[in-house]
Amino acid sequence: MAASKWALIRPFFLILTLHSLAIYLFTRGFLLTRTELSSFSHCSDKYQSPCSIPSPTYNANASFFGDRPSKSGSNGQCWTRPAVDRLVIIILDALRFDFVAPSFFFEEKKPWMDKLEVLQKLASDEGMSSRIFKAIADPPTTSLQRLKGLTTGGLPTFIDVGNSFGAPAIVEDNLIFQLANNGKRVLMMGDDTWVKLFPHHFNESYPYPSFNVKDLDTVDNGVIEHLLPSLLRDDWDVLIAHFLGVDHAGHIYGVDSTPMIAKLEQYNNILEEVVQVLKNQSGSGGLHENTLLVVMGDHGQTLNGDHGGGTAEEVETSLFAMSLRNPPAPVATVLDKNYCQLDLDGKKICIGTFQQLDFAVTMASLLGIPFPFGSIGRVNPELYALTGRTWETHNQCAEKLGSHSNLESWMLNYVNNLCVNTWQVKRYIDLYSITSVIGLPAEDLRYINALYSQAQGSWLDIMKFALYSENGTHSRIIDNTASVLQRQIDAYSRFLEGVAELARFAWTEFNLMLMVFGLCVMLTALCVHLYSIRTVHALCKSYYPFSGRSASLRILTVTFFVAIRAFSFLSNSYILAEGRVASFLLGTTGILNLWFSSDTGEVAVENLLFLVLNIIIRFGMESGLSKETIGSGSSIVHSFGSTGIEKGWSLKIGLLELLPILALSILVVLIYIIISRNSFWKRLKYFYTMGNILCCMLMSVHWIVESNIIGASEELKNFGKTFAPRIIYSIGLLHFVLLALSLTINKKYMVPVSNPTDALAIVATGMLSAWSSTILILLGRQGPNVALVCILGAWCITRLNWAAQVDAESGTATGPISNPMPVLQWSLLAVCLFSYTGHWCTFDGLRYAAAFIGFEHFNIVQQGILLAIDTFGVSHIIPVLSIPFLVISKHQISKKKQPDGLLFINLTQAFLIYGLITAFTTTLTIICVTIQRRHLMVWGLFAPKYVFDVLGLLLTDVLICVGSLFYY
């Protein structure tokens, strides 16, 4: 008996091993990080460039670059002349573009628009020195990657997403390092991710924990406490203030919510005070005479408040810049090339475009420090034009070129900056191509080199002609100075844009050999899977005959459905619509069942109920159920105020709050009925029953306290929000441990059962009981509704196809291989529930708030476990552990006693078929990302889909292995 058991279990562990090896190899080849060079920029590096300005003691017999000083000149200039003395950077995390841009730039005004009025007013009243930009981030839009991109000027690779919760220190050259290394004093306050990325670079810092997304105020209040007093101090050069309230409000409540609007209004008040302090100190000799204020977001967010992907809402954020030193009137010729409209007062507001890739090099240029070595951005012309000092003539070349107008002086200064910018990017690309494992495509490099040679060659010709003539006297270029400089700006811009395009296309180094090896191992695992199914099926033939044509038709039908879903992953549109595709296929299987049953003249009620449930799931996907149900309670807190039910209460809102509790009550009754029907040892049965009822009561307390529909003491609130969830987690763990001990000690605590079917039902019910309460509370108020849909869907699936599950002649329960349709429906239902609960296969589909239910402080292990359970609970954990009920239902309706061992053979078939469906779709995902590895959406969509699918496959394999040890 033991040998038979292990013979059935052994393939599960072999398949898990093969899948792990395949995923490891493919991931090593596909998700490689780019080569991070250890080189750093230094002030002295500039004199290796063709952009050095000859010294006044120029000697015609010396090199064209003239005598170079050994270090920076006495005027403090390093690579570029400093254009600002102080820099204030205020980051509003997850700042959408339409949070800042005036509403008349959009087709329809939304409630969250026009809340940051102070920025709009400044852009309108002081358009010469203030400007709003649409800032474009590069996906994936997770916080770590955006901060890394902003400070290094590079394109962080996808693999960095894994470090978003445990940010490692940045070791490559970056803006913060250059500030500290060149004597700039940096003050930081807010999000503690900064001190993790740059642990030794700040002169002073006030970090606050950032991962409790339910906490909207701690970080912001800490920033407010230090921001305004710090603006009056003179012991810093760069101030960084990172607010998190908008990001957290979006994660919990969504964009269109009362807490979000309240946060935006709070920020508007803060920014008004900041601007007032800066203006008061901006007079001649004042503390902020030449200060630049930058208010920006690191990324955007969807209407649901999520981010991480590459949609327009996520990559489009805002940047507002204001110089305290006004530029001259000709600045309009640079700035007014943007999209402009008139506001209600008839004043013009213009919106510029800014690539976040350009942030590091632009700030370094304005501050006069070396550009980060790995930066591939371009000094943004509009930001460079906002500061007054960039319009001043300050070198010998301006005089020689005959540049007398303000515009020509600015253009020459900007050309000098672009010259250094271009040279820096070119030397980085050259070194990267030499030192990296694979490098960049040779054809693209030739194109880039040609652009560089053209740009630098024309500039050298201009400089030579301007600086000396044949007889040694200097001549002037009097005519067409502006047009000559504009052509040079265009030449440099073409090179820098070409490099950025090349980097976005081919930044990650794919190791095709490892990818192919991984794919081959994955295909081998599929062959082992099929062979195992065939071997187990051969054992079944000794119990009942294969039903020939009808069974073959069912197998072909199921194969066709699985293939349709798997091949749809080749399209990015179908990946985004994965839940809807699964719902369509699930509904189609229901229609097929209805059609087959109509041939017999009987239409079972389960067929109709199954189709109705599919419609409910479909509408649930469209309505964004997850965000609404999780956020509803806390939104009501803001509506009710502190007095609870007496203030702002309405019958409709009350019913919405009580509906989950009502659904939970129905769920308690169903759980009691299911458990009471099983032959548990009496005490164990009562323990499981009382444990589940207690968990449901604690969930009700938790939701009621969070919704604030009744007045509650602080002690009760603390218990409901913190201790009630922890007790639920503990009860679930205790259920699992008790079940494991019961099975280990020869079922000492269980009444002997009459047949293996009852024993399997007992263990399966215990497993689901151990996991269900934790999953329910993590799902939030939608949990009971989801559980009811799941239970009713499972009931319909187990009752449908019963006629095909029992051999008509022998009365013996046939195996799942004869009719795999229920297993397919089980799998499709799991996919539908994944989308129904507000998840999707991108990182903005993660519901971070669930990780903090019962906890206020971040711990990567406990929050990671809770987030994983919430993400994969109803799509993997519950479906896999409940597969035994597909087999149990067939054996319970069989007309005669089942042969010994048949139950577990059928269960093995069900596990293998379910695993094969998951493995096949994952294999197609791997093939898809291999084909689409150069696709524009590879990091924003295809790579996240790959990560979710392979993690889901490994989790499925592990659950099948664990389940087999418990169930067999």
Side-chain angles (χ1 to χ4, degrees):
M1 187 67 180
S4 175
K5 167 186 173 180
W6 288 108
L8 294 174
I9 291 176
R10 195 176 298 117
F12 301 143
F13 287 89
L14 175 60
I15 291 169
L16 171 61
T17 302
L18 290 174
H19 285 165
S20 301
L21 178 61
I23 292 169
Y24 172 77
L25 292 174
F26 189 88
T27 302
R28 284 293 304 272
F30 178 60
L31 296 183
L32 288 177
T33 58
R34 63 179 172 83
T35 303
E36 292 187 351
L37 304 184
S38 58
S39 300
F40 288 77
S41 297
H42 302 89
C43 278
S44 58
D45 293 346
K46 179 188 174 182
Y47 302 108
Q48 304 169 13
S49 78
C51 308
S52 299
I53 306 301
S55 68
T57 59
Y58 172 77
N59 185 342
N61 296 322
S63 68
F64 168 70
F65 304 111
D67 299 330
R68 297 170 183 144
S70 58
K71 57 183 179 179
S72 301
S74 58
N75 61 353
Q77 178 174 337
C78 185
W79 283 20
T80 58
R81 183 171 182 263
V84 298
D85 297 328
R86 310 184 91 191
L87 176 63
V88 178
I89 301 174
I90 298 178
I91 299 176
L92 308 181
D93 209 289
L95 184 71
R96 286 169 57 99
F97 174 59
D98 56 6
F99 285 170
V100 176
S103 59
F104 53 78
F105 278 90
F106 304 93
E107 294 182 359
E108 181 182 358
K109 182 176 180 178
K110 300 294 185 180
W112 57 84
M113 295 180 179
D114 297 333
K115 300 304 177 185
L116 297 178
E117 296 176 346
V118 60
L119 302 184
Q120 297 177 6
K121 189 174 186 300
L122 288 169
S124 173
D125 295 346
E126 304 182 29
M128 300 290 287
S129 59
S130 301
R131 183 58 44 115
I132 295 173
F133 297 87
K134 176 191 285 186
I136 309 297
D138 290 287
T141 49
T142 55
S143 294
L144 168 66
Q145 288 183 298
R146 285 297 82 234
L147 293 184
K148 189 171 183 179
L150 286 169
T151 55
T152 63
L155 296 172
T157 50
F158 179 86
I159 199 67
D160 292 325
V161 173
N163 293 321
S164 289
F165 289 106
I170 294 179
V171 295
E172 62 180 319
D173 198 2
N174 59 81
L175 177 65
I176 307 301
F177 170 82
Q178 289 297 339
L179 289 170
N181 197 50
N182 288 274
K184 301 294 184 182
R185 300 159 298 174
V186 185
L187 170 62
M188 194 287 304
M189 58 193 70
D191 187 349
D192 63 351
T193 303
W194 285 91
V195 295
K196 297 175 183 176
L197 293 174
F198 311 103
H200 308 296
H201 297 77
F202 299 118
N203 292 75
E204 191 175 351
S205 62
Y206 301 98
Y208 297 90
S210 58
F211 286 114
N212 185 0
V213 293
K214 295 190 295 183
D215 184 355
L216 274 60
D217 300 315
T218 297
V219 177
D220 289 357
N221 291 341
V223 175
I224 295 170
E225 178 184 353
H226 297 286
L227 177 57
L228 294 176
S230 298
L231 292 175
L232 300 175
R233 292 161 44 187
D234 62 356
D235 57 350
W236 56 266
D237 300 297
V238 177
L239 185 150
I240 299 172
H242 193 146
F243 290 86
L244 280 175
V246 161
D247 180 69
H248 289 184
H251 281 305
I252 300 297
Y253 311 109
V255 170
D256 190 4
S257 64
T258 301
M260 176 65 76
I261 293 174
K263 266 296 164 188
L264 292 173
E265 291 173 346
Q266 179 190 25
Y267 288 172
N268 186 70
N269 295 332
I270 296 168
L271 291 173
E272 282 184 342
E273 296 183 48
V274 168
V275 171
Q276 190 61 45
V277 170
L278 293 177
K279 285 187 173 183
N280 291 340
Q281 298 289 327
S282 63
S284 179
L287 198 58
H288 297 292
E289 178 185 5
N290 192 29
T291 295
L292 178 68
L293 169 67
V294 176
V295 180
M296 62 184 298
D298 54 348
H299 50 73
Q301 57 178 301
T302 65
L303 291 179
N304 278 340
D306 301 312
H307 58 87
T311 64
E313 288 181 309
E314 296 165 276
V315 301
E316 292 179 359
T317 181
S318 299
L319 185 146
F320 169 85
M322 182 184 75
S323 171
L324 274 299
R325 183 171 182 177
N326 295 334
V331 70
T333 60
V334 179
L335 298 181
D336 286 356
K337 297 176 182 178
N338 303 312
Y339 178 50
C340 302
Q341 284 196 15
L342 298 179
D343 62 14
L344 297 178
D345 298 326
K347 297 179 180 179
K348 184 168 62 175
I349 296 184
C350 298
I351 302 290
T353 301
F354 181 86
Q355 297 290 332
Q356 283 195 351
L357 191 67
D358 302 338
F359 180 80
V361 66
T362 302
M363 295 300 107
S365 172
L366 293 173
L367 289 166
I369 61 176
F371 304 165
F373 188 88
S375 170
I376 57 172
R378 177 186 67 152
V379 177
N380 183 273
E382 297 164 67
L383 264 182
Y384 188 77
L386 282 179
T387 56
R389 192 178 287 172
T390 62
W391 294 79
E392 298 173 356
T393 301
H394 59 82
N395 61 53
Q396 181 185 11
C397 294
E399 300 174 1
K400 299 301 181 183
L401 285 172
S403 175
H404 295 295
S405 72
N406 285 326
L407 179 60
E408 291 170 352
S409 296
W410 177 86
M411 293 178 74
L412 181 59
N413 292 335
Y414 185 55
V415 167
N416 286 331
N417 275 264
L418 283 185
C419 181
V420 177
N421 190 181
T422 302
W423 163 77
Q424 163 56 34
V425 171
K426 180 61 166 59
R427 74 166 182 168
Y428 169 69
I429 292 296
D430 289 344
L431 184 60
Y432 184 87
S433 301
I434 295 172
T435 58
S436 63
V437 178
I438 298 176
L440 298 170
E443 183 178 349
D444 293 324
L445 282 177
R446 285 194 294 270
Y447 173 71
I448 293 299
N449 289 335
L451 289 178
Y452 179 78
S453 299
Q454 179 183 0
Q456 287 292 22
S458 63
W459 182 235
L460 290 177
D461 291 341
I462 295 172
M463 295 287 286
K464 289 178 182 178
F465 182 71
L467 291 174
Y468 64 90
S469 62
E470 210 172 63
N471 60 4
T473 61
H474 300 289
S475 61
R476 288 189 174 186
I477 301 175
I478 300 176
D479 300 326
N480 302 320
T481 301
S483 61
V484 169
L485 293 175
Q486 185 60 54
R487 285 196 297 271
Q488 191 60 41
I489 291 173
D490 294 340
Y492 283 139
S493 298
R494 282 194 297 271
F495 167 78
L496 294 169
E497 290 168 1
V499 171
E501 183 179 356
L502 171 61
R504 289 189 175 99
F505 175 76
W507 196 252
T508 302
E509 302 170 354
F510 298 110
N511 190 324
L512 292 179
M513 183 175 295
L514 283 178
M515 292 171 67
V516 170
F517 282 162
L519 182 57
C520 290
V521 175
M522 197 71 188
L523 294 174
T524 302
L526 286 180
C527 294
V528 172
H529 228 131
L530 291 170
Y531 177 77
S532 300
I533 292 175
R534 180 182 177 184
T535 301
V536 176
H537 179 58
L539 296 175
C540 293
K541 289 184 177 179
S542 60
Y543 296 103
Y544 56 84
F546 187 68
S547 51
R549 183 178 177 182
S550 61
S552 299
L553 180 61
R554 297 189 193 102
I555 294 173
L556 288 175
T557 302
V558 169
T559 303
F560 177 70
F561 276 94
V562 173
I564 287 178
R565 177 171 177 262
F567 281 101
S568 70
F569 296 155
L570 291 170
S571 166
N572 60 320
S573 300
Y574 279 95
I575 291 177
L576 290 171
E578 181 181 6
R580 297 194 291 273
V581 171
S583 176
F584 171 79
L585 295 176
L586 184 63
T588 305
T589 63
I591 293 173
L592 286 177
N593 285 332
L594 188 64
W595 181 35
F596 291 143
S597 64
S598 64
D599 291 341
T600 63
E602 297 180 1
V603 178
V605 67
E606 294 87 355
N607 283 303
L608 299 176
L609 178 59
F610 186 73
L611 292 175
V612 171
L613 283 175
N614 188 61
I615 294 173
I616 293 174
I617 292 173
R618 184 70 170 80
F619 277 104
M621 294 178 188
E622 298 295 332
S623 64
L625 181 62
S626 173
K627 184 66 67 177
E628 293 174 7
T629 51
I630 287 182
S632 61
S634 297
S635 296
I636 290 173
V637 172
H638 291 263
S639 300
F640 289 171
S642 59
T643 58
I645 194 170
E646 294 82 11
K647 194 173 182 179
W649 175 256
S650 71
L651 180 62
K652 181 179 178 181
I653 294 178
L655 290 176
L656 288 175
E657 287 301 310
L658 294 176
L659 186 60
I661 299 174
L662 178 62
L664 191 61
S665 303
I666 298 173
L667 189 61
V668 170
V669 175
L670 289 176
I671 292 173
Y672 177 77
I673 294 174
I674 293 172
I675 293 179
S676 62
R677 287 183 176 180
N678 284 320
S679 303
F680 279 109
W681 177 64
K682 185 178 295 185
R683 292 182 182 177
L684 186 60
K685 181 175 70 174
Y686 287 154
F687 176 79
Y688 274 94
T689 303
M690 296 306 298
N692 281 282
I693 293 175
L694 178 59
C695 286
C696 291
M697 293 173 62
L698 290 172
M699 282 184 227
S700 299
V701 173
H702 174 71
W703 293 333
I704 291 173
V705 167
E706 277 206 329
S707 66
N708 201 35
I709 61 176
I710 61 172
S713 64
E714 288 300 322
E715 293 77 10
L716 181 57
K717 288 182 179 180
N718 185 54
F719 174 81
K721 292 182 178 180
T722 304
F723 292 101
R726 295 183 185 182
I727 294 173
I728 292 173
Y729 303 151
S730 301
I731 291 175
L733 180 61
L734 185 59
H735 279 187
F736 185 82
V737 172
L738 184 60
L739 181 62
L741 291 175
S742 300
L743 294 174
T744 302
I745 312 174
N746 297 320
K747 302 182 180 180
K748 177 180 177 181
Y749 298 104
M750 300 176 70
V751 175
V753 291
S754 58
N755 58 61
T757 303
D758 288 341
L760 181 59
I762 291 170
V763 180
T765 303
M767 285 289 282
L768 292 177
S769 178
W771 285 96
S772 59
S773 297
T774 296
I775 294 173
L776 279 178
I777 192 170
L778 292 179
L779 288 175
R781 288 174 175 77
Q782 65 175 336
N785 302 324
V786 174
L788 290 175
V789 170
C790 184
I791 290 174
L792 291 176
W795 179 77
C796 291
I797 292 173
T798 56
R799 291 187 62 87
L800 292 171
N801 305 289
W802 271 10
Q805 301 293 349
V806 179
D807 185 73
E809 296 181 3
S810 65
T812 304
T814 60
I817 191 63
S818 299
N819 183 23
M821 183 63 76
V823 182
L824 172 65
Q825 292 175 323
W826 208 263
S827 175
L828 291 175
L829 178 62
V831 177
C832 290
L833 290 175
F834 181 77
S835 299
Y836 181 66
T837 52
H839 298 92
W840 51 93
C841 290
T842 56
F843 290 102
D844 56 354
L846 294 173
R847 302 189 314 113
Y848 299 103
F852 290 91
I853 294 179
F855 298 93
E856 294 183 356
H857 301 291
F858 175 76
N859 178 281
I860 190 169
V861 175
Q862 69 186 18
Q863 266 58 64
I865 292 174
L866 292 178
L867 185 62
I869 293 175
D870 172 72
T871 303
F872 297 107
V874 294
S875 61
H876 291 78
I877 298 174
I878 295 298
V880 173
L881 295 180
S882 59
I883 285 178
F885 290 105
L886 289 175
V887 178
I888 292 170
S889 63
K890 294 184 297 181
H891 283 255
Q892 287 176 337
I893 64 168
S894 180
K895 297 178 182 178
K896 68 177 186 178
K897 188 177 184 301
Q898 301 301 306
D900 292 338
L902 178 60
L903 174 68
F904 297 109
I905 291 174
N906 287 341
L907 180 58
T908 302
Q909 282 185 318
F911 275 141
L912 286 172
I913 294 172
Y914 190 93
L916 179 63
I917 292 172
T918 307
F920 182 75
T921 54
T922 304
T923 302
L924 262 294
T925 299
I926 291 175
I927 294 174
C928 167
V929 297
T930 302
I931 296 173
Q932 306 283 16
R933 65 186 184 277
R934 297 299 183 190
H935 192 281
L936 180 65
M937 295 294 293
V938 63
W939 303 124
L941 186 61
F942 291 105
K945 171 63 176 171
Y946 165 77
V947 171
F948 275 82
D949 276 11
V950 297
L951 290 178
L953 175 62
L954 291 177
L955 180 59
T956 299
D957 290 340
V958 170
L959 289 171
I960 288 175
C961 290
V962 172
S964 65
L965 294 176
F966 276 78
Y967 296 151
Y968 285 63

